[in-house]
């Protein structure tokens, strides 16, 4: 009878499930089991909680590095809060299937200790499918589905830039044309350069050659008037060219001086007379440029 009681006690101990009670919570979280291709990473999380006094032996966890020829364990992190453990594993697959194929993340045993006792808890293997990167047979265009080039990038809107370029170019051309007009660079507008040419000729004449200098200014005034201009015609000249009324006193001095120089005796030119003549020519040049 005593032997029967001892055997019964041992059987009850064997069926008591002491190892399972040591791990009071155990869960394995895995992602979707399909759609993986070569190079993808697969996370796996193990959540467990042990009863007080039971310690996880971290040496029982898989080591980082190659697991087999197509699987690698890239990272492993353990977070412990009291008797609760969260173990994050990150695998990377390098299998290159030619068609959809089912593979398995290998399982392993977690070892625990409590005093002199030791036991383990298995982490089950996990199955998933891998897909090839592309079909082996490339379909033709007539089949309706095939490899296609990337869509071209969208074109930038350059209308505003073109508008600014056209507006800037137009403004530059207008400014250049205005300057060319003022400086008399257009052959058809030589009348705008009459006194410019006169100033150039005056600069080339000897200082004592007052006769040629007076002829030069007379020629410029005649060409501007389109006929010979005399002093008594200045009123009519001003009606056609009112801007020259501003130099009326200088023009009257010019005609008086010219009459005395050509028709009176013993009239000699001085440096001051030449300066006045050049000043008249410069004033007329400013008028024809529009700057006066």
């Amino acid at each position: 009878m005593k032997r029967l009681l001892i055997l019964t006690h041992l059987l009850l101990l064997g069926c008591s499930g002491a190892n399972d009670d040591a791990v009071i919570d155990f869960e394995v979280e895995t992602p979707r089991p399909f759609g993986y291709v070569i190079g993808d990473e697969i996370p796996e999380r193990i959540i467990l909680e042990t009863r007080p006094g039971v310690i996880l032996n971290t040496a029982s966890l898989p080591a980082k590095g190659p697991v087999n020829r197509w699987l690698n364990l890239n990272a492993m992190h353990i977070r412990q809060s009291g008797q609760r453990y969260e173990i994050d594993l990150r695998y990377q697959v390098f299998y290159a299937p030619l068609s959809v194929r089912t593979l398995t993340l290998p399982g392993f045993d977690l070892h625990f200790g409590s005093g002199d006792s030791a036991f383990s808890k298995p982490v089950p293997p996990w199955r998933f499918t891998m897909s090839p990167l592309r079909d082996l047979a490339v379909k033709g265009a007539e089949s309706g589905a095939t490899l296609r080039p990337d869509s071209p990038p969208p074109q930038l809107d350059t209308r505003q830039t073109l508008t600014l370029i056209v507006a800037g170019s137009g403004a530059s051309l207008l400014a250049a044309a205005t300057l060319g007009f003022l400086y008399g660079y257009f052959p058809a507008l030589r009348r705008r350069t009459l006194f410019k040419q006169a100033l150039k000729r005056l600069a080339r004449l000897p200082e004592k050659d007052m006769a040629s200098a007076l002829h030069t200014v007379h020629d410029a005034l005649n060409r501007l008037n389109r006929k010979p201009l005399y002093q008594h015609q200045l009123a009519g000249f001003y009606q056609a060219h009112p801007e020259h009324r501003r130099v009326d006193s200088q023009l009257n001095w010019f005609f008086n001086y010219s009459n005395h120089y050509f028709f009176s005796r013993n009239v000699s030119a001085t440096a001051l007379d030449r300066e006045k003549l050049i000043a008249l020519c410069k004033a007329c040049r400013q008028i024809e440029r529009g700057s006066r």
Side-chain angles (χ1 to χ4, degrees):
M1 184 62 182
K2 185 177 180 180
R3 292 179 179 179
L4 180 60
L5 291 174
I6 294 174
L7 179 60
T8 303
H9 181 69
L10 291 176
L11 288 174
L12 290 173
L13 288 176
C15 299
S16 62
N19 291 350
D20 291 339
D21 292 338
V23 180
I24 58 179
D25 187 19
F26 183 82
E27 184 180 359
V28 179
E29 296 180 353
T30 52
R32 55 178 168 76
F34 56 88
Y36 296 96
V37 296
I38 184 171
D40 282 350
E41 287 190 332
I42 301 175
E44 183 180 56
R45 171 173 292 180
I46 304 169
I47 303 172
L48 61 93
E49 184 174 354
T50 63
R51 62 178 173 80
V54 177
I55 300 174
L56 171 66
N57 183 3
T58 56
S60 61
L61 292 168
K64 289 173 58 177
V67 178
N68 54 39
R69 62 181 179 82
W70 55 266
L71 184 66
N72 197 79
L73 179 59
N74 288 344
M76 178 181 64
H77 299 286
I78 304 174
R79 294 187 296 278
Q80 181 179 3
S81 176
Q83 298 301 125
R84 183 179 178 81
Y85 297 85
E86 289 187 4
I87 305 168
D88 287 315
L89 306 175
R90 183 167 291 276
Y91 295 94
Q92 188 173 21
V93 290
F94 297 99
Y95 194 85
L98 300 180
S99 60
V100 177
R101 184 164 181 178
T102 301
L103 299 175
T104 303
L105 287 184
F108 55 91
D109 291 337
L110 292 174
H111 296 284
F112 299 87
S114 177
D116 295 335
S117 302
F119 57 92
S120 63
K121 180 73 176 179
V123 176
W126 181 69
R127 294 169 64 85
F128 64 98
T129 59
M130 286 198 67
S131 303
L133 291 176
R134 62 177 178 83
D135 293 341
L136 289 179
V138 179
K139 299 178 180 179
E142 62 279 359
S143 63
T146 184
L147 294 177
R148 295 178 299 177
D150 294 337
S151 59
Q155 295 184 348
L156 299 177
D157 186 1
T158 59
R159 288 176 295 181
Q160 183 179 4
T161 303
L162 290 177
T163 301
L164 293 176
I165 291 175
V166 171
S169 301
S172 299
L173 290 176
L174 180 61
T178 302
L179 289 175
F181 172 75
L182 294 176
Y183 281 93
Y185 290 136
F186 297 102
L189 300 174
R190 288 297 186 187
R191 291 174 58 80
R192 299 288 303 182
T193 64
L194 293 176
F195 291 96
K196 178 182 179 181
Q197 299 171 30
L199 282 172
K200 289 183 178 178
R201 283 196 291 271
L202 288 176
R204 292 195 296 266
L205 289 175
E207 292 185 1
K208 295 182 179 180
D209 191 358
M210 178 58 78
S212 297
L214 291 172
H215 280 302
T216 298
V217 178
H218 273 296
D219 181 63
L221 289 171
N222 292 340
R223 293 173 63 186
L224 178 62
N225 194 43
R226 298 182 185 275
K227 60 183 179 181
L229 177 64
Y230 299 98
Q231 188 174 13
H232 67 278
Q233 297 174 333
L234 282 178
F237 175 75
Y238 292 150
Q239 292 180 357
H241 306 280
E243 65 275 7
H244 283 79
R245 194 184 298 276
R246 303 167 190 165
V247 292
D248 176 67
S249 61
Q250 289 176 281
L251 286 175
N252 278 294
W253 170 85
F254 166 70
F255 281 107
N256 288 329
Y257 180 82
S258 178
N259 288 332
H260 284 291
Y261 184 85
F262 287 113
F263 302 110
S264 298
R265 295 181 178 179
N266 301 323
V267 176
S268 58
T270 64
L272 179 61
D273 296 332
R274 187 177 177 84
E275 290 178 1
K276 288 183 177 180
L277 187 63
I278 293 176
L280 169 62
C281 205
K282 288 182 176 178
C284 292
R285 171 57 180 161
Q286 291 176 348
I287 291 175
E288 72 180 3
R289 289 183 56 184
S291 58
R292 178 168 179 170

